[in-house]
mmCIF file of all heavy atoms in Angstrom:
data_model
loop_
_atom_site.group_PDB
_atom_site.id
_atom_site.type_symbol
_atom_site.label_atom_id
_atom_site.label_comp_id
_atom_site.label_asym_id
_atom_site.label_seq_id
_atom_site.Cartn_x
_atom_site.Cartn_y
_atom_site.Cartn_z
ATOM 1 N N GLU U 652 106.314 112.061 128.006
ATOM 2 C CA GLU U 652 105.569 112.199 129.265
ATOM 3 C C GLU U 652 105.424 110.866 129.992
ATOM 4 O O GLU U 652 105.679 110.785 131.161
ATOM 5 C CB GLU U 652 104.159 112.739 128.971
ATOM 6 C CG GLU U 652 104.165 114.157 128.393
ATOM 7 C CD GLU U 652 104.473 115.220 129.418
ATOM 8 O OE1 GLU U 652 104.420 114.899 130.625
ATOM 9 O OE2 GLU U 652 104.763 116.347 129.008
ATOM 10 N N ALA U 653 105.067 109.874 129.188
ATOM 11 C CA ALA U 653 104.885 108.551 129.797
ATOM 12 C C ALA U 653 106.191 108.047 130.427
ATOM 13 O O ALA U 653 106.179 107.463 131.507
ATOM 14 C CB ALA U 653 104.353 107.567 128.758
ATOM 15 N N ALA U 654 107.276 108.300 129.721
ATOM 16 C CA ALA U 654 108.562 107.793 130.221
ATOM 17 C C ALA U 654 108.861 108.388 131.599
ATOM 18 O O ALA U 654 109.297 107.693 132.481
ATOM 19 C CB ALA U 654 109.661 108.139 129.237
ATOM 20 N N ALA U 655 108.628 109.669 131.728
ATOM 21 C CA ALA U 655 108.897 110.298 132.993
ATOM 22 C C ALA U 655 108.057 109.710 134.101
ATOM 23 O O ALA U 655 108.508 109.449 135.197
ATOM 24 C CB ALA U 655 108.682 111.802 132.895
ATOM 25 N N PHE U 656 106.797 109.462 133.821
ATOM 26 C CA PHE U 656 105.920 108.875 134.824
ATOM 27 C C PHE U 656 106.387 107.430 135.172
ATOM 28 O O PHE U 656 106.330 107.035 136.312
ATOM 29 C CB PHE U 656 104.496 108.849 134.326
ATOM 30 C CG PHE U 656 103.772 110.136 134.570
ATOM 31 C CD1 PHE U 656 103.605 111.076 133.598
ATOM 32 C CD2 PHE U 656 103.290 110.421 135.848
ATOM 33 C CE1 PHE U 656 102.953 112.235 133.834
ATOM 34 C CE2 PHE U 656 102.644 111.607 136.112
ATOM 35 C CZ PHE U 656 102.455 112.532 135.067
ATOM 36 N N ILE U 657 106.781 106.702 134.156
ATOM 37 C CA ILE U 657 107.186 105.318 134.382
ATOM 38 C C ILE U 657 108.408 105.237 135.277
ATOM 39 O O ILE U 657 108.510 104.446 136.177
ATOM 40 C CB ILE U 657 107.414 104.626 133.032
ATOM 41 C CG1 ILE U 657 106.089 104.383 132.377
ATOM 42 C CG2 ILE U 657 108.165 103.317 133.248
ATOM 43 C CD1 ILE U 657 106.156 103.879 130.982
ATOM 44 N N GLU U 658 109.377 106.137 135.025
ATOM 45 C CA GLU U 658 110.550 106.179 135.946
ATOM 46 C C GLU U 658 110.120 106.379 137.389
ATOM 47 O O GLU U 658 110.568 105.689 138.284
ATOM 48 C CB GLU U 658 111.509 107.268 135.499
ATOM 49 C CG GLU U 658 112.165 107.058 134.145
ATOM 50 C CD GLU U 658 113.028 105.806 134.136
ATOM 51 O OE1 GLU U 658 113.550 105.437 135.163
ATOM 52 O OE2 GLU U 658 113.107 105.149 133.056
ATOM 53 N N LEU U 659 109.242 107.328 137.601
ATOM 54 C CA LEU U 659 108.768 107.610 138.957
ATOM 55 C C LEU U 659 107.997 106.440 139.514
ATOM 56 O O LEU U 659 108.171 106.042 140.699
ATOM 57 C CB LEU U 659 107.896 108.853 138.990
ATOM 58 C CG LEU U 659 108.684 110.178 138.784
ATOM 59 C CD1 LEU U 659 107.695 111.333 138.535
ATOM 60 C CD2 LEU U 659 109.586 110.494 139.948
ATOM 61 N N SER U 660 107.124 105.859 138.696
ATOM 62 C CA SER U 660 106.279 104.779 139.207
ATOM 63 C C SER U 660 107.117 103.549 139.451
ATOM 64 O O SER U 660 106.865 102.788 140.459
ATOM 65 C CB SER U 660 105.181 104.459 138.179
ATOM 66 O OG SER U 660 105.742 103.975 137.002
ATOM 67 N N ASP U 661 108.121 103.264 138.696
ATOM 68 C CA ASP U 661 108.995 102.108 138.941
ATOM 69 C C ASP U 661 109.666 102.195 140.292
ATOM 70 O O ASP U 661 109.650 101.312 141.078
ATOM 71 C CB ASP U 661 110.086 102.004 137.853
ATOM 72 C CG ASP U 661 109.542 101.378 136.571
ATOM 73 O OD1 ASP U 661 108.464 100.810 136.625
ATOM 74 O OD2 ASP U 661 110.226 101.455 135.578
ATOM 75 N N ILE U 662 110.214 103.389 140.575
ATOM 76 C CA ILE U 662 110.896 103.560 141.850
ATOM 77 C C ILE U 662 109.933 103.485 142.988
ATOM 78 O O ILE U 662 110.122 102.777 143.952
ATOM 79 C CB ILE U 662 111.658 104.934 141.873
ATOM 80 C CG1 ILE U 662 112.763 104.926 140.815
ATOM 81 C CG2 ILE U 662 112.241 105.209 143.234
ATOM 82 C CD1 ILE U 662 113.426 106.276 140.619
ATOM 83 N N ASN U 663 108.847 104.288 142.904
ATOM 84 C CA ASN U 663 107.968 104.385 144.019
ATOM 85 C C ASN U 663 107.123 103.128 144.245
ATOM 86 O O ASN U 663 106.806 102.803 145.386
ATOM 87 C CB ASN U 663 107.068 105.608 143.858
ATOM 88 C CG ASN U 663 107.793 106.875 144.117
ATOM 89 O OD1 ASN U 663 107.926 107.311 145.261
ATOM 90 N ND2 ASN U 663 108.375 107.480 143.067
ATOM 91 N N SER U 664 106.740 102.495 143.129
ATOM 92 C CA SER U 664 105.939 101.270 143.319
ATOM 93 C C SER U 664 106.768 100.185 143.964
ATOM 94 O O SER U 664 106.272 99.397 144.770
ATOM 95 C CB SER U 664 105.325 100.810 141.975
ATOM 96 O OG SER U 664 106.364 100.479 141.089
ATOM 97 N N THR U 665 108.069 100.115 143.572
ATOM 98 C CA THR U 665 108.925 99.138 144.236
ATOM 99 C C THR U 665 109.085 99.458 145.720
ATOM 100 O O THR U 665 109.033 98.547 146.527
ATOM 101 C CB THR U 665 110.319 99.157 143.547
ATOM 102 O OG1 THR U 665 110.144 98.951 142.159
ATOM 103 C CG2 THR U 665 111.226 98.079 144.137
ATOM 104 N N ALA U 666 109.230 100.732 146.002
ATOM 105 C CA ALA U 666 109.338 101.118 147.411
ATOM 106 C C ALA U 666 108.059 100.769 148.152
ATOM 107 O O ALA U 666 108.075 100.275 149.264
ATOM 108 C CB ALA U 666 109.604 102.609 147.528
ATOM 109 N N ALA U 667 106.926 101.024 147.522
ATOM 110 C CA ALA U 667 105.653 100.754 148.187
ATOM 111 C C ALA U 667 105.451 99.281 148.426
ATOM 112 O O ALA U 667 105.030 98.839 149.483
ATOM 113 C CB ALA U 667 104.477 101.286 147.352
ATOM 114 N N SER U 668 105.812 98.452 147.410
ATOM 115 C CA SER U 668 105.603 97.009 147.548
ATOM 116 C C SER U 668 106.575 96.400 148.525
ATOM 117 O O SER U 668 106.331 95.348 149.092
ATOM 118 C CB SER U 668 105.705 96.295 146.177
ATOM 119 O OG SER U 668 106.985 96.503 145.678
ATOM 120 N N ALA U 669 107.736 97.068 148.756
ATOM 121 C CA ALA U 669 108.718 96.523 149.683
ATOM 122 C C ALA U 669 108.543 97.067 151.095
ATOM 123 O O ALA U 669 109.248 96.660 151.995
ATOM 124 C CB ALA U 669 110.126 96.880 149.184
ATOM 125 N N ALA U 670 107.643 98.018 151.299
ATOM 126 C CA ALA U 670 107.490 98.682 152.617
ATOM 127 C C ALA U 670 106.929 97.665 153.585
ATOM 128 O O ALA U 670 105.957 96.980 153.304
ATOM 129 C CB ALA U 670 106.594 99.900 152.484
#
Side-chain angles (χ1 to χ4, degrees):
E652 295 287 344
F656 275 101
I657 287 170
E658 292 298 329
L659 289 170
S660 65
D661 281 345
I662 294 172
N663 285 274
S664 60
T665 305
S668 62

